[in-house]
Amino acid sequence: MRARTRLAVALAAAAAMTSLATTAANASTADDLARERCGVSVKDGHAVIYNHCAENWVVIQIDRWLGDNYTKCVGPGITTIGTIFSVRDAWYDGRLCRPGS
């Protein structure tokens, strides 16, 4: 599953680099899809977001293109975790956390 997500983020990065102009209608549709999808996705063609659909707080692993990977504690809803130029993938790592940790 991570390989598919990584491919989707890489394809989004390639698309953003080749075409920076998008219509408002397409951006709106992509934003709506990103809000509905749980897990990692791309918003506005360049922002990598993580949508946590449950009510608890969890630890996600963030795989970067360059530099060390890291973990982040995220709560319900959408958290922006970087751009397509910095983040390659992200996933829930099976641990719970507390806000602010």
Side-chain angles (χ1 to χ4, degrees), residues 33-75:
L33 290 174
R35 275 191 283 278
E36 293 174 10
R37 181 177 174 196
C38 299
V40 69
S41 58
V42 177
K43 178 182 173 192
D44 297 333
H46 62 82
V48 179
I49 62 169
Y50 190 87
N51 188 10
H52 181 55
C53 296
E55 295 299 316
N56 56 359
W57 286 70
V58 297
V59 176
I60 61 171
Q61 294 282 333
I62 299 173
D63 184 12
R64 297 176 50 183
W65 288 104
L66 298 171
D68 294 333
N69 298 337
Y70 64 98
T71 61
K72 183 174 183 84
C73 181
V74 299

